[in-house]
Amino acid sequence: MRVCGVELKGGEAIICLLSYEGDTFNVPSCRTRALTVSDSAKTDSIKEFHFAFSKLMQDYKVDEVAIIEREQKGKLAGSATSFKMETAIQLCGLPVQLISAVNIKAQLKRNPPMVDFEGLDLKRFQKNAFEVAYTLQNKHIFVKSE
């Protein structure tokens, strides 16, 4: 199973692909590490983001998407642009899971990755996207085994 972890920050979707095949995790290379929305007030910008994200998921044969859940209200609330991006991702035709930071932290504590993040071919800014993808993969693995 191949999943795409997504962290939405402002007008940027930081992504990380992670596959799990035969008891092995693999971080496949990807042609892009982030997708942006230039002007979220314009419909064409959101449509371009939706098309680019859908095409990326199709090209890399992604089965499911995991997004780090953001607060809707309060001081730490996500931006309007990030919620528009989340909606565009949800309309791509793939199952999308919103996973809270608390659940990610708990899963990483329960099942820490067996490899150091620096050993992966990822940039430091992709760490949160990797962690949400890893959390979703573990969620599927341990639900199957129970």
Side-chain angles (χ1 to χ4, degrees):
M1 169 178 249
R2 184 172 286 190
V3 301
C4 177
V6 180
E7 179 186 21
L8 299 173
K9 278 185 158 182
E12 187 174 48
I14 300 166
I15 64 167
C16 175
L17 300 179
L18 182 66
S19 64
Y20 181 74
E21 297 151 6
D23 295 345
T24 305
F25 287 101
N26 183 27
V27 179
S29 60
C30 185
R31 68 176 173 255
T32 187
R33 298 175 196 271
L35 297 168
T36 59
V37 172
S38 55
D39 184 2
S40 69
K42 294 185 179 179
T43 304
D44 288 341
S45 292
I46 299 298
K47 284 182 180 179
E48 287 172 12
F49 172 80
H50 173 73
F51 176 78
F53 191 86
S54 296
K55 183 70 175 147
L56 191 71
M57 298 300 102
Q58 183 181 28
D59 290 351
Y60 288 96
K61 297 175 178 50
V62 172
D63 300 306
E64 195 165 358
V65 178
I67 301 174
I68 299 172
E69 190 172 13
R70 291 153 341 282
E71 295 293 324
Q72 294 184 10
K73 295 180 183 177
K75 191 170 135 180
L76 301 174
S79 68
T81 301
S82 71
F83 287 107
K84 288 181 180 185
M85 293 167 68
E86 179 183 310
T87 302
I89 291 169
Q90 289 174 330
L91 294 173
C92 286
L94 293 171
V96 175
Q97 298 273 334
L98 296 175
I99 302 176
S100 71
V102 172
N103 287 339
I104 294 168
K105 189 173 182 180
Q107 185 62 252
L108 292 172
K109 186 176 182 180
R110 217 178 4 252
N111 301 301
M114 300 305 253
V115 66
D116 189 30
F117 182 78
E118 279 71 33
L120 301 173
D121 188 27
L122 297 172
K123 299 290 184 189
R124 177 168 275 142
F125 68 87
Q126 290 179 283
K127 185 173 184 182
N128 291 336
F130 168 78
E131 289 175 348
V132 73
Y134 181 77
T135 298
L136 182 60
Q137 288 285 22
N138 276 295
K139 188 175 173 184
H140 288 302
I141 293 166
F142 292 109
V143 167
K144 285 181 188 175
S145 65
E146 292 176 354

